[in-house]
């Protein structure tokens, strides 16, 4: 056995490095260890740390970015509910209640990263506010009296006036298709 005399700093560094080699650490826990090591041992650069643990410096930086995620997402990664790429996508949701619903959806439906992105894209799309009758080529703005009088069963909905125009619709003569 080789016995070495280490100073406090070297012992801290060695302790962090040993923990970083454990396989059961989540990406967030590794990022927290990277962060603690960089605070405790500022002379250890990100590149030096990467080489000490045998990882690409870009991976280390990417994992450290996880620390800027909302607490809910970091905790979901730690407990295995989310993968880090899913959490990064979910971070686009700013409403805390909507974020919690999205985490629950992604977890309960076992969504892939791609399915998670698609779910978020759909969730963040604005509600359709413009409408046209199925048999008409005219669309109405959200405040138009003619549009409000239209039965839901007959309505075709659009998220924007541009979307209605792109579908070949013309604006209503009364409201001019304005919001």
């Amino acid at each position: 056995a080789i016995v070495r005399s280490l100073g406090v700093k070297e012992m801290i560094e060695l302790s962090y490095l040993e923990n970083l080699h454990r396989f059961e650490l989540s990406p967030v826990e590794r990022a927290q260890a990277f962060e603690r090591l960089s605070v405790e041992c500022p002379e250890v650069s990100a590149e030096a740390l990467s080489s000490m643990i045998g990882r690409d410096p870009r991976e280390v930086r990417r994992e450290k970015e996880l620390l800027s995620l909302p607490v809910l997402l970091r905790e979901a990664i730690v407990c295995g509910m989310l993968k880090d790429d899913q959490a990064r996508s979910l971070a686009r949701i700013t409403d805390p209640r909507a974020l919690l619903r999205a985490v629950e959806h992604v977890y309960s439906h076992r969504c892939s990263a791609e399915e998670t992105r698609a779910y978020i894209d759909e969730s963040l799309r604005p509600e359709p506010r413009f409408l046209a009758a199925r048999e008409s080529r005219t669309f109405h703005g959200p405040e138009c009296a003619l549009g409000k009088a239209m039965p839901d069963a007959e309505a075709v909905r659009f998220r924007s006036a541009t979307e209605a125009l792109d579908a070949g619709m013309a604006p209503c003569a009364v409201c001019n298709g304005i919001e």
Side-chain angles (χ1 to χ4, degrees):
I2 299 173
V3 178
R4 285 179 48 193
S5 177
L6 299 174
V8 174
K9 270 232 190 273
E10 287 92 7
M11 287 188 331
I12 291 170
E13 185 178 322
L14 188 59
S15 164
Y16 283 130
L17 292 174
E18 286 174 358
N19 282 336
L20 287 171
H21 281 292
R22 289 182 24 226
F23 286 101
E24 61 273 2
L25 288 178
S26 75
V28 170
E29 291 166 324
R30 280 193 302 271
Q32 290 168 332
F34 297 150
E35 192 63 27
R36 280 192 303 271
L37 182 60
S38 64
V39 168
E40 298 280 337
C41 305
E43 68 279 358
V44 178
S45 69
E47 287 72 26
L49 172 63
S50 300
S51 73
M52 286 179 201
I53 60 172
R55 306 219 23 223
D56 187 303
R58 290 177 299 227
E59 286 179 52
V60 172
R61 277 192 295 278
R62 192 160 160 77
E63 284 188 349
K64 284 178 83 171
E65 289 168 2
L66 294 174
L67 298 177
S68 66
L69 293 174
V71 172
L72 171 65
L73 295 177
R74 291 193 315 258
E75 291 300 319
I77 293 170
V78 170
C79 72
M81 288 179 70
L82 295 176
K83 302 283 186 207
D84 58 336
D85 52 351
Q86 292 171 313
R88 282 186 178 88
S89 295
L90 286 164
R92 293 175 34 210
I93 300 173
T94 56
D95 176 41
R97 281 186 229 135
L99 181 59
L100 180 58
R101 283 192 305 274
V103 168
E104 290 170 344
H105 174 86
V106 168
Y107 177 70
S108 66
H109 289 87
R110 292 182 169 49
C111 294
S112 67
E114 187 175 317
E115 291 167 334
T116 300
R117 282 189 293 276
Y119 173 78
I120 295 163
D121 288 344
E122 185 58 33
S123 299
L124 294 176
R125 288 181 69 182
E127 288 297 314
R129 299 174 349 138
F130 297 83
L131 53 101
R134 290 196 190 285
E135 302 301 321
S136 173
R137 300 299 322 150
T138 303
F139 73 93
H140 305 276
E143 300 303 319
C144 180
L146 296 173
K148 287 182 177 183
M150 188 181 308
D152 278 346
E154 291 183 30
V156 176
R157 301 194 176 276
F158 302 96
R159 296 183 190 282
S160 67
T162 303
E163 184 181 2
L165 291 167
D166 289 347
M169 299 287 180
C172 162
V174 174
C175 72
N176 207 18
I178 298 175
E179 296 187 41

